[in-house]
Amino acid sequence: MSWDDFYRRRDAVNTVLATAARRGNGALPYDELPAVREVFGTREELLTALQYKWQQTLTGQIDVAIAEADDDPRIDRFDVVRDAWLAATKREPVLRAVLDANEHHPAISGRIASERRKLAHLAGLTSAGDSEEEATHLGSTFLALVRAGNDKAGNSPRRGTALLRKLADAVSA
C-alpha cells in the first residue's frame, strides 16, 4: 500500500465516522458515500478497516494501562482492562457504535470474538484449560457488565465484578 492509498483509506474511514456521527444510530454509511465505495470496494472491506482501527485504539489503551499496573501489584487487572476499554470507547464512541451495530457481520464477527477472548484473558477471567467458546462467553459477559455499569448513573461496574469473578471461577473449575 502506498502512502496515497493509506491517506485515502484514512480519509474514507473518517468520512464514514463523521456521517455515522451525524446519524447517531450506528448504521454503516456505505451505499450513499461514493468516495468511500471507491476506496473500499465492499462493505466487508470497510468493516474490516473499522475493526482494525478499533483494535489499534483498544490495544493502545490496554498496553499503556497494563504497563502502569505492572508497576503496582495492588492494581487489579480486571479494573485495568475495564478502564482501558471504557477509555477506548470514550475516545472512539462512533466507531464503537458502528461496530456494535454490525457485530454479527461475517466480516468482523470472528475478530470481535477474538477481542472478547483477549479481554477475558487480560482481565484474569480465563484459565489455560478454557475453550474458545468459554473464553468468548466470559469476554462477552465482562463487556455486558462494563457497559451496564457505565450506562447507569451511580452504578459502578464493580458491583458486577464479584459476580463475574464467581462465574469465571465456576466455568474454569
Side-chain angles (χ1 to χ4, degrees):
M1 175 186 322
S2 70
W3 281 109
D4 287 339
D5 292 337
F6 170 81
Y7 290 119
R8 287 180 67 220
R9 290 172 65 87
R10 182 202 61 193
D11 293 346
V13 164
N14 290 340
T15 297
V16 165
L17 294 175
T19 303
R22 284 191 298 277
R23 287 181 174 175
N25 63 3
L28 181 67
Y30 178 78
D31 295 328
E32 69 275 20
L33 299 172
V36 170
R37 287 194 323 268
E38 184 178 310
V39 174
F40 294 101
T42 64
R43 296 173 76 81
E44 290 77 10
E45 288 178 28
L46 176 57
L47 280 169
T48 300
L50 292 170
Q51 177 63 28
Y52 179 73
K53 180 178 176 65
W54 169 254
Q55 198 60 46
Q56 287 181 310
T57 301
L58 180 60
T59 299
Q61 293 290 332
I62 288 174
D63 287 352
V64 169
I66 287 178
E68 291 172 359
D70 285 345
D71 293 337
D72 187 349
R74 296 170 296 164
I75 297 176
D76 187 339
R77 293 290 279 252
F78 183 98
D79 295 336
V80 168
V81 175
R82 178 200 63 215
D83 293 347
W85 189 89
L86 289 170
T89 300
K90 184 177 181 180
R91 184 174 173 186
E92 294 286 355
V94 176
L95 175 58
R96 186 69 256 159
V98 169
L99 292 172
D100 287 345
N102 292 279
E103 72 177 311
H104 299 293
H105 193 287
I108 61 171
S109 61
R111 289 178 174 92
I112 288 175
S114 177
E115 174 189 314
R116 290 178 180 169
R117 287 190 297 274
K118 178 180 175 182
L119 290 171
H121 172 73
L122 292 172
L125 300 173
T126 60
S127 53
D130 291 341
S131 69
E132 281 191 5
E133 183 180 345
E134 290 168 326
T136 302
H137 181 70
L138 286 168
S140 296
T141 304
F142 168 81
L143 285 180
L145 285 172
V146 169
R147 286 176 169 154
N150 192 47
D151 288 344
K152 297 176 183 160
N155 185 15
S156 168
R158 265 200 184 285
R159 186 168 181 215
T161 302
L163 291 173
L164 185 57
R165 288 191 188 281
K166 287 179 184 177
L167 172 64
D169 291 342
V171 170
S172 298

